[in-house]
């Protein structure tokens, strides 16, 4: 299996190079040269298989023999030692809970797999890889806990002091060992600027192998297809219903791109809803074929506040830039903040189930899609991307009640914060990185 750049001018590379580089040299995103297909008999064999067995079957095709099956199997076991529940709400609507990992958000699925692949490939060359990430919250915590204790890797996270929630700060600063947190006295843009400068600093380059772990890495995307395949097969085997419609709370559109991969591999998926908040650049494109990104606006579903989604380039690539074909498979629906709050209330009143604001956007979008008469025959799967306790203030304000905090979250709050305070001057970061080396 080889990987191309969406910009088509870089040389094709192996999964190893694509993983360690992240972005292609021509500025494009890596995509597989062809999407592996599962035949009908192969799919039937996977019905009733465990999550990890399905994950293994998919990962094996994408890594194309570059990792021994035994080692790949071990990695998958290490990644997904938690459940992926598929909760039945009514006879035709299900919630897939993707928040049972260590940081209570779906980004654990991608970050944990990327971390192990990075460590594996770095060890092959006897290298130490330094992962440098600027974060405003959620990605950083998944990366911190994903890379925690992975040999041949270490992580340096930059976050803006006082601008992340206490819970997020605890998740960023307590992973320990090979994970270093830098508390920058500035804002997120300062953090990003400093990281960008490090990547082009020739002196640092001669001393360290730097890589980023942002959502454009193909090895963060591949593992997100696992839970689509798992849910589609589980519905068929357990509930006797097929070809579900997935409603996906979308920000950078990595999650829905992974869903598309699962469908192209041959897993039984009927349709997709790209649910967005007021950041509706892709929603508008799906409507009229014009891509006219607007600046980012702040909403209640903060992890989806992206004005110009990076994975849109991959989506376009997979459809050969054919807007009609894309709109045939994916319906874009935007949901306002007031609808988000109403949905948290309505679903709680009807089912006693607490949605986080991102999941509420996806729930609402599915409801609107059905109300306008589309795909009445298809069961619906709403992807739940975060535990409601991660967005306590919003959920409390909607329900006027306390939200129970899971024990593993409370445990993180108890841990000792471990961060190095630095100024927003690049020299501070460069000095820290050089001293790390000694
Ligand atoms: C990152 C994130 C999203 C958006 O996912 P994309 O892959 O960027 O579309 C949705 N919900 C939560 C909770 C997130 O952290």
């Amino acid at each position: 299996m080889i990987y191309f750049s969406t910009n088509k001018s870089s040389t094709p590379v192996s999964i190893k190079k694509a993983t360690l580089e992240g972005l292609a040299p021509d500025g494009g995103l890596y995509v597989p040269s062809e999407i592996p297909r599962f035949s009908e008999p192969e799919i039937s064999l996977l019905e009733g298989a465990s999550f990890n067995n399905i994950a293994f079957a998919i990962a094996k095709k994408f890594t194309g023999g570059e990792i021994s099956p035994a080692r790949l199997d071990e990695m998958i076991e290490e990644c997904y030692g938690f459940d992926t529940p598929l909760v039945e709400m009514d006879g035709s609507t299900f919630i897939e809970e993707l928040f049972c990992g260590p940081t209570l958000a779906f980004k654990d699925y991608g970050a944990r797999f990327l971390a192990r692949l990075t460590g594996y490939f770095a060890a092959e060359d006897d290298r130490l890889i330094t992962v440098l990430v600027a974060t405003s919250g959620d990605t950083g915590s998944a990366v911190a806990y994903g890379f925690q204790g992975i040999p041949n890797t270490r992580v340096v996270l930059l976050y803006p002091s006082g601008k992340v929630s206490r819970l997020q700060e605890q998740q960023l600063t307590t992973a320990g060992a090979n994970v270093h947190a830098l508390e920058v006295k500035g804002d997120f843009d300062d953090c990003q600027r400093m990281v960008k400068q490090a990547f082009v600093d020739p002196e640092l380059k001669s001393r360290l192998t730097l890589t980023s772990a942002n959502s454009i890495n193909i090895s963060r995307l591949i593992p997100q297809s696992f839970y689509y395949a798992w849910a589609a097969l589980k519905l068929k085997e357990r509930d006797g219903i097929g070809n579900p419609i997935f409603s996906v709370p979308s920000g950078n559109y990595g999650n829905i791109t992974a869903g598309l991969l699962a469908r192209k591999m041959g897993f039984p998926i009927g349709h997709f809803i790209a649910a967005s908040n007021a950041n509706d650049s892709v929603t508008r494109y799906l409507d009229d074929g014009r891509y006219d990104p607007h600046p980012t606006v702040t909403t209640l579903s903060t992890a989806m506040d992206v004005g110009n989604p990076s994975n849109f380039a991959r989506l376009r690539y997979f459809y050969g830039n054919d807007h009609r074909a894309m709109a045939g498979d994916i319906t874009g629906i935007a949901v306002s903040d007031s609808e988000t709050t109403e949905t948290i209330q309505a679903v709680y009143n009807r089912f006693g189930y607490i949605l986080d604001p991102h999941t509420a956007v996806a729930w609402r979008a599915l409801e609107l899609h059905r109300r306008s008469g589309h795909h009445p025959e298809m069961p619906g799967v709403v992807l739940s991307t975060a535990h409601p306790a991660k967005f306590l203030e919003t959920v409390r304000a909607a329900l006027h009640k306390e939200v129970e905090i899971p024990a593993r979250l409370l445990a993180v709050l108890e841990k000792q914060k471990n961060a190095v305070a630095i100024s927003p001057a690049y020299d501070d970061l460069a000095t820290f990185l050089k001293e790390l080396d000694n």
Side-chain angles (χ1 to χ4, degrees), residues 106-107 138 224 249-255 303-304 358 385-386 391:
F106 86 107
K107 288 192 172 69
D138 277 343
Q224 293 185 49
S250 297
N252 258 321
Y253 287 73
N255 198 354
M304 292 156 60
H358 306 80
T385 48
F391 297 91

Side-chain angles (χ1 to χ4, degrees), residues 177-195:
N178 60 333
V179 182
H180 309 270
L182 298 180
E183 179 175 3
V184 178
K185 290 195 179 57
D187 56 23
F188 176 60
D189 291 333
D190 290 317
C191 298
Q192 255 186 327
R193 171 183 47 79
M194 293 161 80
V195 164

Side-chain angles (χ1 to χ4, degrees), residues 273-288:
I273 296 173
S276 73
N277 56 30
N279 296 284
D280 61 353
S281 304
V282 175
T283 317
R284 286 180 288 107
Y285 168 83
L286 286 166
D287 275 346
D288 63 12

Side-chain angles (χ1 to χ4, degrees), residues 115-307:
R116 278 153 190 85
L117 246 57
T118 302
Y120 176 85
F121 291 135
E124 274 189 342
D125 300 344
D126 206 12
R127 280 200 282 176
L128 172 62
I129 303 269
T130 305
V131 181
L132 189 59
V133 189
T135 182
S136 53
D138 277 343
T139 298
S141 49
V143 169
Y145 277 83
F147 281 82
Q148 180 183 44
I150 301 289
N152 297 79
T153 72
R154 65 185 171 198
V155 176
V156 178
L157 295 165
L158 282 74
Y159 72 94
S161 181
K163 300 214 166 57
V164 301
S165 73
R166 167 153 151 72
L167 172 62
Q168 283 174 329
E169 182 167 36
Q170 284 297 110
Q171 288 185 323
L172 293 172
T173 59
T174 58
N178 60 333
V179 182
H180 309 270
L182 298 180
E183 179 175 3
V184 178
K185 290 195 179 57
D187 56 23
F188 176 60
D189 291 333
D190 290 317
C191 298
Q192 255 186 327
R193 171 183 47 79
M194 293 161 80
V195 164
K196 278 191 184 148
Q197 201 170 338
F199 279 106
V200 296
D201 179 339
E203 202 198 333
L204 269 185
K205 257 194 184 159
S206 69
R207 292 174 173 235
L208 309 174
T209 310
L210 287 180
T211 181
S212 75
N214 54 23
S215 69
I216 50 91
N217 198 304
I218 187 72
S219 288
R220 262 184 74 175
L221 198 72
I222 293 165
Q224 293 185 49
S225 67
F226 302 162
Y227 49 75
Y228 286 90
W230 158 251
L233 294 178
K234 192 82 189 158
L235 277 184
K236 203 163 166 216
E237 177 246 335
R238 183 187 75 184
D239 306 283
I241 44 183
N243 294 308
I245 179 166
F246 279 90
S247 187
V248 187
S250 297
N252 258 321
Y253 287 73
N255 198 354
I256 199 163
T257 305
L260 205 69
L261 282 182
R263 187 162 187 248
K264 284 182 182 285
M265 283 183 252
F267 291 98
I269 295 171
H271 191 73
F272 294 98
I273 296 173
S276 73
N277 56 30
N279 296 284
D280 61 353
S281 304
V282 175
T283 317
R284 286 180 288 107
Y285 168 83
L286 286 166
D287 275 346
D288 63 12
R290 278 183 307 156
Y291 190 59
D292 168 30
H294 291 176
T296 305
V297 294
T298 303
T299 72
L300 291 179
S301 42
T302 49
M304 292 156 60
D305 292 347
V306 184

Side-chain angles (χ1 to χ4, degrees), residues 60-122:
K60 193 160 162 246
K61 296 218 187 213
F62 278 98
T63 52
E66 284 183 64
I67 301 175
S68 80
R71 185 70 195 99
L72 188 61
D73 189 44
E74 241 171 61
M75 282 194 236
I76 299 269
E77 293 292 327
E78 284 172 29
C79 285
Y80 308 116
F82 49 87
D83 285 343
T84 303
L86 190 61
V87 178
E88 181 172 345
M89 303 296 284
D90 61 35
S92 65
T93 314
F94 298 79
I95 290 184
E96 188 172 15
E97 295 182 341
L98 303 175
F99 53 69
C100 301
T103 73
L104 304 184
F106 86 107
K107 288 192 172 69
D108 286 329
Y109 286 87
R112 296 180 71 71
F113 188 77
L114 170 65
R116 278 153 190 85
L117 246 57
T118 302
Y120 176 85
F121 291 135

